[in-house]
Amino acid sequence: MSFEYDDQNIFAKILRGEIPNSTVLETEHSLAFHDIAAQAPVHVLVIPKGAYVTYDHFIAEASDAEIVDFNRAIGEVCRLMKLSGADTDGGFRIIANAGAHALQEVPHLHMHVLGGRPLGLLLDRG
Ligand code: 5GP
């Protein structure tokens, strides 16, 4: 399996500091920031700093340290945004789109962390 990474994608530019972002959390291997077009009261994107296109690419090629860091960052974002544990009674959703069928817009792995309101069905019926 091979994955081609386009280093001109918008999240690569964010990681290089070429365009600004509203950072929620930065760790050794991950960055979390607010989505520019939030679809819920909480809409944070968590990305690995490494050059991975999709979740399957990440799991196939990332180091254990990167995978642990990324997953812990997602959990920490949920905690920081008061979506998890004793802070919430509402819960949250995490989604990673991959490829054309999932309408992935930015070809750098990102986990959407969504919450703060009822989120409706996971998929539309189309
Ligand atoms: P996708 O459809 O690839 O799963 O989601 C891409 C997400 O990136 C969208 O929710 C979109 O609003 C967000 N996005 C696109 N460009 C930017 C940007 O320049 N800054 C931030 N913070 N989010 C962006």
Side-chain angles (χ1 to χ4, degrees):
M1 215 177 331
S2 79
F3 298 89
E4 292 215 353
Y5 182 81
D6 170 13
D7 68 6
Q8 293 307 306
N9 78 76
I10 202 94
F11 295 167
K13 292 179 179 177
I14 285 177
L15 284 166
R16 289 195 295 267
E18 293 169 10
I19 61 171
N21 73 94
S22 177
T23 299
V24 171
L25 175 72
E26 181 166 9
T27 65
E28 183 179 1
H29 296 295
S30 308
L31 181 69
F33 50 88
H34 293 285
D35 194 293
I36 204 167
Q39 296 180 51
V42 175
H43 189 170
V44 174
L45 303 173
V46 187
I47 69 174
K49 290 181 178 176
Y52 304 106
V53 183
T54 54
Y55 190 78
D56 51 324
H57 182 196
F58 180 64
I59 293 302
E61 296 188 5
S63 67
D64 288 358
E66 289 174 288
I67 292 170
V68 168
D69 181 292
F70 183 64
N71 280 285
R72 289 207 186 284
I74 293 164
E76 180 66 0
V77 165
C78 292
R79 192 187 68 76
L80 290 169
M81 303 312 292
K82 303 198 182 310
L83 297 176
S84 73
D87 281 338
T88 185
D89 59 2
F92 60 91
R93 181 175 289 156
I94 57 177
I95 302 172
N97 292 316
H101 280 188
L103 303 180
Q104 181 180 11
E105 176 192 327
V106 180
H108 181 114
L109 169 61
H110 47 285
M111 195 70 79
H112 296 257
V113 178
L114 296 151
R117 67 165 172 81
L119 296 167
L121 294 171
L122 177 57
L123 297 176
D124 69 29
R125 301 200 186 271

